[in-house]
Each structure stands twice: as C-alpha cells, then as structure tokens.
Amino acid sequence: METEASPTVLVVEDETAITDALKYAFELEGFGFESASTGRAGLEAARRLHPSVVVLDVMLPVMSGLDVCRQLRSESDVPIIMLTARGAEADKVAGLELGADDYLTKPFSIRELVARVRAQLRRSARAGSLANTAEVLRGGEIELDVDSHEVRLGGLLVDLRPKEFDLLESLMRRRGRLATRETLIDEVWGPDHFGATKTLDVHIKRLRQKLEPDTRQPRHILTVRGLGYKFVD
Ligand code: CA
C-alpha cells in the first residue's frame, strides 16, 4: 500500500560513486531515494521501506544481486530493475528468470535508468487499478471476493473467521509463489505479534479443513518446508 506522495527508489549497489550520482539524479526528479551497499542490507531496507521500485546491482559482495532478487521476489511484487555487467548475458537471463522486471547493462545512462523506473511505476499503477476493479481471487474451486469478504468453494459459501480470510487472501495474492512465514504473519497479524508462528500453523490447518478435500494431502495450500506456504491452483 503506497501512502507517500512521491515514489521511492531503493538502490542496492556497493559502488558509492554510482549510488551518489543516482541519489542526486533521482532526488532532482522528485523521487524519494534510499540506498544499501550489501545484499542483506538491501533486503532489510526493502522490507522496512516498501520502496516503489528496487534497482539492484548483480555484482554485490557476499550475497549476490541474483540471490537478493530471488528472495525479494518471494516476498514482494515490487518492480526490480537489475544492473548487469557488460557481456554478462547469463546474468540478464538469470535475473529475468528470477523475477526481475527489467535490466540495464553497465555502464548505463542515468537518464535511461530514470526512464526505466518511470516505466515500471506506470506498469504497477496500471496493475493496481486493474486489481481494484477485479476484486475476486480465484484458484481451482476456490473463489475469494475481496469486497464482499466471502469465500466460495465450488460455488458454495465457506464460513471463515476474519483471520482465516486474511490469511487466505495473502496466500492467494501470491498464487504459485512462496509466501514466507514472516510475510504472512506480518500481513495478517502485524509485525509486533508475538507467538504468531504457532497461530499461523493453526490457521493454516483450519483453512485446509475448510477448503481441502484431503487435509493430509493438500492440493491448494502447500507447505514449503522451513520457509512458509504456497497457494497453487
Ligand atoms: Ca557492484
């Protein structure tokens, strides 16, 4: 949910000369600007700041930009633009396969990067307005109507408690992708909720009892061992 008026760009890059130049350019264009110099710091910043766009260098020390991309994409739909080294064709392909939305090859023009960031913002604004008109999430026999707060299984109303509904909505919005335990707890119970780990498992169990034909072999709400859950059609 975007509440601030101006969009914020998070740049994850260990070369301060580049970060400084980008900060100057983006602020001049009216963007909020944040930066991180390691992959880990970048991930933390993305979780904390909910930037509008992430610009991610592939060549980062310790945790590579590709690992950051994979992890970030498992948690968020934020547009990601990768910065790749000239000639590193494999990095571009890997980045796009891991869910990056676009890439630029170094050395790049800052104006070009600003234009690409704007293009990503237009795309996510369009996706957002589409999501506002189509308020029914579907997966297999399951339909979740965001407006009326109703869930149907094979056309029949299912009685869900409010947190069960929120949890199912969080899962279905990431259909086909991992929803980490942290993300689900954050979205459904809030970041300061203690003891939510057990609570999460109990709610998953109840959802399966209400929605799955066989709770021992779930078809839609899958466990991703050690990480979280995933909703599939
Ligand atoms: Ca770098």
Side-chain angles (χ1 to χ4, degrees):
M1 246 159 279
E2 207 59 66
T3 46
E4 70 250 76
S6 59
T8 300
V9 179
L10 170 65
V11 172
V12 187
E13 163 65 277
D14 58 320
E15 287 166 70
T16 45
I18 294 181
T19 310
D20 290 348
L22 292 180
K23 179 177 166 61
Y24 179 78
F26 276 105
E27 286 182 349
L28 205 61
E29 297 280 337
F31 286 86
F33 186 89
E34 301 284 346
S35 64
S37 57
T38 69
R40 227 163 269 291
L43 269 180
E44 278 161 21
R47 288 174 185 145
R48 195 175 65 244
L49 303 164
H50 301 289
S52 321
V53 176
V54 174
V55 175
L56 181 58
D57 186 32
V58 171
M59 298 294 286
L60 292 170
V62 192
M63 186 181 191
S64 92
L66 293 175
D67 291 334
V68 176
C69 182
R70 180 189 295 116
Q71 182 61 33
L72 194 53
R73 186 47 84 232
S74 76
E75 302 174 8
S76 151
D77 284 328
V78 64
I80 301 173
I81 301 175
M82 305 283 304
L83 301 178
T84 60
R86 180 159 37 189
E89 203 63 38
D91 283 346
K92 292 173 198 167
V93 176
L96 293 174
E97 279 178 353
L98 290 174
D101 298 277
D102 199 0
Y103 65 83
L104 266 184
T105 302
K106 285 181 168 181
F108 57 90
S109 107
I110 291 182
R111 284 183 58 182
E112 174 72 17
L113 178 60
V114 172
R116 301 284 185 101
V117 165
R118 287 198 195 285
Q120 289 302 325
L121 288 173
R122 281 194 299 274
R123 264 182 55 181
S124 39
R126 267 203 305 276
S129 62
L130 277 179
N132 285 340
T133 52
E135 290 284 5
V136 179
L137 307 175
R138 290 190 178 81
E141 295 261 84
I142 301 166
E143 271 186 19
L144 182 145
D145 189 320
V146 179
D147 282 338
S148 67
H149 234 254
E150 286 174 348
V151 170
R152 287 187 167 73
L153 177 65
L156 299 173
L157 266 181
V158 181
D159 186 26
L160 293 188
R161 297 180 191 184
K163 292 293 186 201
E164 293 167 3
F165 183 94
D166 293 347
L167 179 56
L168 182 63
E169 183 182 348
S170 284
L171 286 164
M172 290 183 81
R173 285 200 187 281
R174 293 180 177 75
R175 194 168 57 164
R177 293 193 280 118
L178 166 70
T180 65
R181 304 181 67 84
E182 293 74 21
T183 301
L184 292 171
I185 289 168
D186 239 49
E187 286 189 1
V188 178
W189 287 276
D192 301 323
H193 190 90
F194 294 103
T197 293
K198 277 217 175 69
T199 313
L200 171 63
D201 294 331
V202 169
H203 280 72
I204 290 281
K205 193 174 160 193
R206 286 210 210 108
L207 275 182
R208 283 175 174 158
Q209 285 165 351
K210 292 178 179 181
L211 298 170
E212 298 276 7
D214 181 354
T215 54
R216 283 164 310 171
Q217 288 192 305
R219 282 172 43 198
H220 300 296
I221 302 168
L222 309 184
T223 302
V224 183
R225 197 176 289 273
L227 295 175
Y229 297 95
K230 185 201 289 195
F231 185 94
V232 296
D233 283 356

